[in-house]
C-alpha cells in the first residue's frame, strides 16, 4: 500500500512539472518496476518534458532513449555506447 501511494505521488509531481520527478518517474517507466510496467514511449515523454524545461539530466535521458530507439530500429550501435 505505501509503495502504491508513493508511486502515485511521484506521478503527480512529474505531471505537475517537477523536473527531477519527471526524470525519476521516466526512469521507473523506462526500466519497469514491480508495480509499473515498462513503457519506454511514455518514459521518453517525461524525459522530453524535463528536457524542454532546461533540465540537463532530462536532456541526457531523452537523447539516450532516442539513441537506443534508433539502435533497435537500425541494428547499428556506436562503439561508445554506455548503459544507463
Amino acid at each position: 500500500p505505501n509503495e502504491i501511494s508513493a508511486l502515485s505521488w511521484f506521478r503527480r509531481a512529474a505531471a505537475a512539472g517537477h523536473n527531477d520527478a519527471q526524470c525519476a518517474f521516466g526512469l521507473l517507466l523506462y526500466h519497469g518496476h514491480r508495480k509499473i510496467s515498462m513503457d519506454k514511449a511514455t518514459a521518453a515523454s517525461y524525459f522530453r518534458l524535463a528536457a524542454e524545461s532546461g533540465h540537463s539530466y532530462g536532456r541526457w535521458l531523452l537523447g539516450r532513449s532516442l539513441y537506443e530507439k534508433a539502435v533497435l530500429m537500425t541494428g547499428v550501435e556506436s562503439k561508445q555506447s554506455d548503459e544507463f
Side-chain angles (χ1 to χ4, degrees), residues 1-82:
N2 289 338
E3 185 175 335
I4 294 170
S5 179
L7 291 172
S8 174
W9 281 105
F10 223 164
R11 183 176 315 177
R12 288 180 193 179
H18 191 280
N19 303 116
D20 290 332
Q22 290 167 338
C23 291
F25 192 67
L27 282 169
L28 288 173
L29 289 168
Y30 195 87
H31 295 290
H33 188 268
R34 286 180 287 186
K35 302 290 183 182
I36 298 177
S37 297
M38 185 185 298
D39 184 349
K40 292 186 177 192
T42 303
S45 69
Y46 279 102
F47 300 155
R48 184 176 304 280
L49 288 171
E52 288 176 349
S53 69
H55 195 277
S56 60
Y57 188 48
R59 288 178 180 171
W60 186 88
L61 289 168
L62 178 61
R64 184 63 193 187
S65 66
L66 293 173
Y67 169 79
E68 287 194 1
K69 181 178 177 181
V71 168
L72 289 174
M73 292 175 66
T74 64
V76 178
E77 185 171 1
S78 168
K79 292 181 182 179
Q80 297 178 3
S81 175
D82 293 325

